[in-house]
Amino acid sequence: MSFQVKSGYTPFTLESVVHFLVHHNFIDPSSPLLVKEIGDGNLNYVFHVQNKATEESWIVKQALPYAKVVGESWPLTLDRSRIESEALIQAHSLVPEFSPVVYLHDSEKAATVMEDLSSHTILRKGLIEGRVYPELARNVGTYLAHTLFFTSDYGLGSAKKKELAKRFSNPDLCGITESLVFSDPFYNAESNSFTEELRPDVEILWEDQDFLTEVASLKHSFLTKGEALIHGDLHTGSLFVTEGSTKVIDPEFAFYGPAGFDVGAFIANITLSILSQEAHRTDEEKDGYLAYLFGVITEVWTVFDSTFRSLWDTYLSEDNRYSRGYLNTHLQSIFVDSIGFAGCKIIRRTIGLAHVEEIETITDPEVKLAVERRALTLGKKLIFNRKNIDSIENYIEMIKEVV
Ligand code: SR1
Ligand code: MG
């Protein structure tokens, strides 16, 4: 398959990314520089450029015209780079403390220059190392409430929401999610990847028609429920953290979708971390660290819920003033969606194309297989029972049943 790019586009090299920054007046051609390609994601190049004299530094993220993780056979629009930069700017306008600063976007080069967050760690890696981030859950809950409320009909008003939605039509990246989260893991697709020993468990999923119907219903919600401008890929690799700071990065999957998809993504990835901890912690460390991670899930929901309620009370849009009493129903529906989407995401990271480091790095094959089995069992339970799980504590109980 071939792909088309704008005439001025070429993937950056260590040299040409410097020319790009000189061209846009970030640096002087004579500056002593340290330039590295640091991207370890599935889709893009990420360069770190530092001026050794002034210690100023920048991140330059450039989209490739195909999915890096698969190769040139999977073309992808470069417009996702514009979407990502606009989503970052939008988030920064709502929650500046949780979003990197965007300095420049160049649509011809499909490149964005943004704040260097090298002092931060990718959350997924921090959780593998057993680090504790005391502010994380409160920050993520606050981020979710503000971004999901203020971009919705209720926070923005329906006319402005529709205006904003025009800029975030994102068919290619939504297509990835539709395939990799909601379709491929649920049949014998070529893109799936799992150890042969897991096949009997996987085939049970593929043959369960009631289960597949529940997944189809969640996919339908993803396809049709344009509630808010969502991040679209809010896993623990999309969060940069220190003890006191949380930054949400990588919103290239942003579009108007179901609010529960972001909440569910975060909860699912903390759950995957929980499931993998027996391989990363000593027996003495394990219980304390699990208690911390259960607390993160509980707190993210309670902070999201209480913040969303107070934003609703204060800022409900004028055109929705007669919907004031709908709040409980709305939050309940976001909760149910979050649990169902979390189930799909736990399953896709276990048997689909893109797995997670906390499970992939388990060296003992028996332990890894046991963790993957538990992930499948839990994912299925969450999808089937999402409408009966009536509180976040109840969700934690479900995880405890399998850990
Ligand atoms: C082909 S991209 C694979 C995955 O990486 C991203 O982080 C998204 O989760 C996507 O599904
Ligand atoms: Mg990403």
Side-chain angles (χ1 to χ4, degrees):
M1 206 180 297
S2 68
F3 46 83
Q4 296 218 314
V5 296
K6 288 187 186 170
S7 58
Y9 177 89
T10 40
F12 286 144
T13 60
L14 295 181
E15 286 76 38
S16 64
V17 74
V18 171
H19 296 152
F20 173 75
L21 287 174
V22 170
H23 173 74
H24 285 293
N25 299 318
F26 284 93
I27 48 179
D28 192 87
S30 61
S31 311
L33 299 174
L34 201 58
V35 189
K36 285 183 279 187
E37 204 281 306
I38 56 167
D40 63 353
N42 294 323
L43 301 175
N44 308 293
Y45 277 156
V46 183
F47 294 89
H48 180 263
V49 182
Q50 187 181 24
N51 182 332
K52 288 191 275 183
T54 62
E55 298 209 341
E56 284 176 290
S57 54
W58 303 268
I59 292 296
V60 182
K61 181 167 178 180
Q62 187 186 38
L64 289 167
Y66 53 85
K68 195 169 87 181
V69 67
V70 177
E72 298 188 8
S73 62
W74 191 337
L76 277 185
T77 174
L78 294 174
D79 188 46
R80 71 185 192 276
S81 171
R82 174 196 63 80
I83 289 182
E84 174 167 352
S85 69
E86 291 198 17
L88 284 173
I89 291 166
Q90 171 68 25
H92 198 269
S93 74
L94 296 172
V95 274
E97 64 276 46
F98 306 135
S99 306
V101 180
V102 170
Y103 301 126
L104 173 117
H105 173 70
D106 182 320
S107 63
E108 191 176 70
K109 301 284 185 210
T112 303
V113 185
M114 65 184 105
E115 185 182 358
D116 176 20
L117 296 169
S118 303
S119 55
H120 291 58
T121 306
I122 289 290
L123 176 60
R124 190 182 300 288
K125 294 188 186 297
L127 299 181
I128 292 171
E129 289 171 10
R131 309 255 174 237
V132 168
Y133 301 101
E135 309 293 328
L136 172 71
R138 193 158 53 83
N139 290 348
V140 174
T142 307
Y143 166 91
L144 287 167
H146 281 78
T147 56
L148 299 176
F149 175 77
F150 281 117
T151 62
S152 74
D153 287 289
Y154 304 110
L156 200 52
S158 72
K160 283 191 185 159
K161 175 203 158 183
K162 287 182 181 68
E163 265 312 303
L164 186 61
K166 281 188 205 164
R167 289 169 26 211
F168 290 97
S169 165
N170 199 353
D172 275 23
L173 286 265
C174 286
I176 291 181
T177 303
E178 287 152 25
S179 300
L180 297 188
V181 179
F182 294 108
S183 300
D184 296 2
F186 304 104
Y187 74 100
N188 192 11
E190 225 179 274
S191 65
N192 289 330
S193 152
F194 52 85
T195 47
E196 248 340 274
E197 289 86 339
L198 207 57
R199 184 166 288 275
D201 306 72
V202 175
E203 284 179 347
I204 289 172
L205 285 187
W206 290 345
E207 282 155 19
D208 186 335
Q209 292 309 318
D210 292 338
F211 172 69
L212 297 179
T213 302
E214 293 302 324
V215 173
S217 158
L218 285 157
K219 181 174 180 181
H220 181 255
S221 295
F222 181 81
L223 289 167
T224 59
K225 218 172 186 177
E227 289 178 327
L229 177 60
I230 66 171
H231 177 285
D233 197 26
L234 194 56
H235 56 79
T236 45
S238 296
L239 284 152
F240 251 143
V241 289
T242 65
E243 275 207 4
S245 165
T246 307
K247 302 279 183 183
V248 179
I249 60 168
D250 281 5
E252 67 201 305
F253 285 75
F255 80 114
Y256 260 85
F261 195 73
D262 279 357
V263 183
F266 181 77
I267 288 176
N269 280 268
I270 299 295
T271 304
L272 286 164
S273 178
I274 290 170
L275 295 174
S276 74
Q277 286 303 326
E278 67 165 290
H280 300 295
R281 304 278 76 78
T282 62
D283 285 349
E284 295 75 53
E285 292 166 341
K286 198 178 128 190
D287 286 352
Y289 201 58
L290 286 181
Y292 162 66
L293 293 174
F294 289 133
V296 168
I297 293 178
T298 308
E299 192 181 352
V300 84
W301 177 262
T302 52
V303 170
F304 168 73
D305 180 270
S306 62
T307 311
F308 197 95
R309 284 176 191 281
S310 97
L311 295 176
W312 181 285
D313 284 345
T314 316
Y315 298 107
L316 188 65
S317 65
E318 193 47 30
D319 56 331
N320 283 300
R321 63 190 177 284
Y322 298 115
S323 301
R324 190 162 287 281
Y326 178 63
L327 174 61
N328 282 337
T329 310
H330 186 47
L331 274 169
Q332 176 60 18
S333 143
I334 294 176
F335 183 76
V336 170
D337 285 353
S338 302
I339 304 293
F341 291 139
C344 294
K345 281 178 166 271
I346 289 168
I347 292 175
R348 66 78 60 118
R349 294 295 186 190
T350 310
I351 60 176
L353 174 80
H355 290 205
V356 290
E357 194 179 337
E358 57 268 39
I359 296 182
E360 288 311 288
T361 52
I362 300 176
T363 46
D364 182 330
E366 278 183 27
V367 174
K368 182 164 180 277
L369 189 61
V371 168
E372 290 169 335
R373 284 213 169 102
R374 282 182 216 130
L376 289 187
T377 305
L378 179 60
K380 184 174 175 180
K381 268 187 167 183
L382 296 174
I383 290 169
F384 262 131
N385 293 299
R386 65 192 188 282
K387 293 177 187 151
N388 308 321
I389 298 175
D390 55 9
S391 66
I392 198 67
E393 290 75 19
N394 208 191
Y395 176 82
I396 301 290
E397 289 311 314
M398 287 227 140
I399 310 177
K400 287 185 176 166
E401 281 171 21
V402 303
V403 173

